[in-house]
Amino acid sequence: MKILISGSSGLIGTAATTALKSDGHNVVHLVRPGKAANPGDVQWDPMRATVDVAGLEGIDVVIHLSGAGIADGRWTEERKQLLRSSRIDTTRVLVDSLSRLKQKPRLLIVASAIGYYGSRGDEILTESSTTGTDFLALVCRDWEAEASRAAERGIRTVMLRTGVVLSGKGGALPKMLPPFKLGVGGRLGSGQQWMSWIAIEDVVGIVRHTIANEQVSGPVNVVAPNPVRNEEFTRLLAGMLHRPAIFPAPAFVLRFAMGEMADAVLLSSDRVKPEQILAAGYKFRFEILEPALRAAVLSRM
């Protein structure tokens, strides 16, 4: 197949590109102005709503992973606008372009996040659960609404509601390791909030499974089957580094330092189950946190 990926330089995009090429697929990328391009790559400028539509002809699968980093800066009004536009507006531009093709792709995979659900305490959340009401939940809701327009045009569409991705090569884990290595790591807030995590190997595995299985459509929770509480996560991480986990970060300190983002990213409780992908027959490589976390930590060392 010919597969087009946006956001290919990110953690998931890089891993997916490598894996799909190894499967024998022809992988090309959506490239913004000023970025290096390889033969077959497609130029686009989503901020100007321009895409090389002719270059999209003949693409079988589109994987849209673009989006500014959620935790890369304090959520000022300007930053929040960027977080929205880099997801919602880019998806609108891409779907509009795909809709104009003579031969539409058979599948569009769009990134989303479990932030869709908001913080829900101990409630078990599946793909049929309602959306939350905070900023991140509303971004995800509108993001997925733009992606869903592709389904209305006959393109099988999948939204990947991804949890905390465990990888030694990027994402949250490399940012967590330094304080734990120094022995000053600990739980966040009460530590009772649920963390829905997934190994990068299973993120790629779910992408592969989605491409191969036409029954998969709509929202898919990209999380391992066994979420843990934050205090369990920090205990395991500290133990692997042979350090204590006795320096908690109080919620009020996190809120003072990070503002609104603290509640949405660090203190949010998301007990999410991957109901749809399990029903589609996907077998997780890492179902339990400890081996997944150990593999990610070792890959960092």
Side-chain angles (χ1 to χ4, degrees):
M1 292 186 188
K2 189 173 184 180
I3 299 176
L4 178 71
I5 301 180
S6 75
S8 58
S9 62
L11 175 63
I12 295 174
T14 299
T17 295
T18 300
L20 293 170
K21 284 184 176 179
S22 74
D23 292 342
H25 297 297
N26 177 16
V27 179
V28 295
H29 303 125
L30 269 174
V31 181
R32 295 173 186 253
K35 301 293 184 180
N38 295 314
D41 287 349
V42 179
Q43 298 285 334
W44 78 326
D45 187 346
M47 295 302 102
R48 295 178 179 272
T50 60
V51 184
D52 176 13
V53 176
L56 295 174
E57 291 287 357
I59 300 291
D60 298 297
V61 176
V62 177
I63 304 176
H64 181 42
L65 305 174
S66 292
I70 288 293
D72 286 354
R74 192 180 179 92
W75 285 3
T76 62
E77 288 305 312
E78 183 179 3
R79 181 69 185 176
K80 287 166 75 171
Q81 180 56 41
L82 175 63
L83 295 176
R84 283 186 57 85
S85 64
S86 66
R87 289 164 171 77
I88 297 164
D89 294 347
T90 63
T91 302
R92 180 184 305 118
V93 169
L94 182 58
V95 170
D96 286 347
S97 299
L98 297 177
S99 300
R100 302 205 303 268
L101 297 178
K102 296 176 182 177
Q103 179 183 332
K104 297 178 178 62
R106 64 183 72 178
L107 170 63
L108 170 64
I109 298 175
V110 177
S112 184
I114 59 171
Y116 175 94
Y117 303 109
S119 184
R120 306 281 276 269
D122 292 338
E123 181 183 355
I124 296 175
L125 303 168
T126 69
E127 288 88 351
S128 61
S129 297
T130 57
T131 185
T133 58
D134 64 11
F135 167 73
L136 189 54
L138 297 180
V139 168
C140 291
R141 180 200 67 185
D142 295 346
W143 193 6
E144 293 188 10
E146 289 296 340
S148 295
R149 296 190 303 117
E152 297 169 1
R153 290 156 173 78
I155 302 170
R156 179 166 67 99
T157 304
V158 174
M159 290 80 81
L160 303 178
R161 293 177 181 168
T162 306
V164 177
V165 179
L166 299 182
S167 169
K169 297 181 179 180
L173 186 61
K175 298 176 183 178
M176 297 178 190
L177 287 175
F180 279 90
K181 287 181 177 179
L182 293 172
V184 294
R187 70 177 189 270
L188 302 177
S190 70
Q192 292 303 296
Q193 66 270 31
W194 288 95
M195 292 180 65
S196 292
W197 58 273
I198 185 165
I200 185 64
E201 294 87 348
D202 280 313
V203 177
V204 172
I206 288 173
V207 169
R208 284 167 153 163
H209 198 79
T210 297
I211 292 171
N213 290 267
E214 292 189 1
Q215 70 268 34
V216 180
S217 64
V220 172
N221 288 335
V222 184
V223 295
N226 297 290
V228 299
R229 295 190 187 272
N230 174 261
E231 64 177 1
E232 173 70 4
F233 184 96
T234 54
R235 183 188 66 79
L236 283 172
L237 180 56
M240 289 175 190
L241 298 172
H242 307 291
R243 297 290 189 274
I246 57 175
F247 292 94
F252 77 90
V253 172
L254 294 171
R255 291 181 180 121
F256 178 78
M258 304 177 67
E260 181 182 357
M261 181 170 61
D263 284 294
V265 177
L266 301 179
L267 301 172
S268 181
S269 185
D270 307 289
R271 192 180 183 185
V272 183
K273 295 289 186 178
E275 194 171 78
Q276 183 173 180
I277 204 68
L278 287 174
Y282 180 71
K283 304 297 182 185
F284 279 83
R285 179 173 174 182
F286 293 103
E287 293 190 352
I288 304 299
L289 176 61
E290 184 169 6
L293 190 56
R294 188 175 302 280
V297 169
L298 288 174
S299 72
R300 184 71 181 176
M301 294 179 171

